[in-house]
Amino acid sequence: EANLERVIETAVEHSENMSHLNLSPQKIREILDLIQRTVGTPDTAIVALTSSGSRYFLRQMAENSIRNLFVLAHSEVPAGVKVISLGTIQ
């Protein structure tokens, strides 16, 4: 996942008032296909843990196309919550 996080984080362009993701539609489709192959079509909620720098943009990409996928940054997982890894998106 670190490689995917790095791709997203390095594609973020920051301006004075906002930040936006500068990835081609083809690259976004590749990322979504990668996520889809990894998580499938889950019947229940599934969480992707990512860096805080890529969380917002990954959520924006996936929210309309991958049902039941929620994206959280590692820092958003409450202390004491047990995380069971089902795999790594790479």
Side-chain angles (χ1 to χ4, degrees):
E1 195 167 335
N3 189 33
L4 178 59
E5 291 171 343
R6 192 172 20 258
V7 166
I8 293 171
E9 288 174 0
T10 57
V12 174
E13 294 183 358
H14 302 280
S15 67
E16 251 183 71
N17 299 321
M18 61 184 291
S19 298
H20 72 278
L21 187 64
N22 187 18
L23 284 178
S24 70
Q26 178 183 346
K27 187 64 177 175
I28 291 172
R29 272 192 302 279
E30 289 172 12
I31 291 170
L32 291 175
D33 288 346
L34 177 66
I35 295 168
Q36 189 71 54
R37 284 193 308 272
T38 304
V39 302
T41 52
D43 291 329
T44 60
I46 191 164
V47 174
L49 290 177
T50 190
S51 67
S52 57
S54 62
R55 178 202 170 279
Y56 172 80
F57 298 101
L58 186 57
R59 183 181 64 81
Q60 290 292 318
M61 282 190 280
E63 71 182 348
N64 290 322
S65 59
I66 304 175
R67 200 185 98 171
N68 290 333
L69 177 70
F70 298 89
V71 182
L72 295 177
H74 299 282
S75 61
E76 294 177 306
V77 178
V81 170
K82 182 178 180 182
V83 175
I84 301 170
S85 175
L86 300 177
T88 302
I89 301 168
Q90 349 186 4

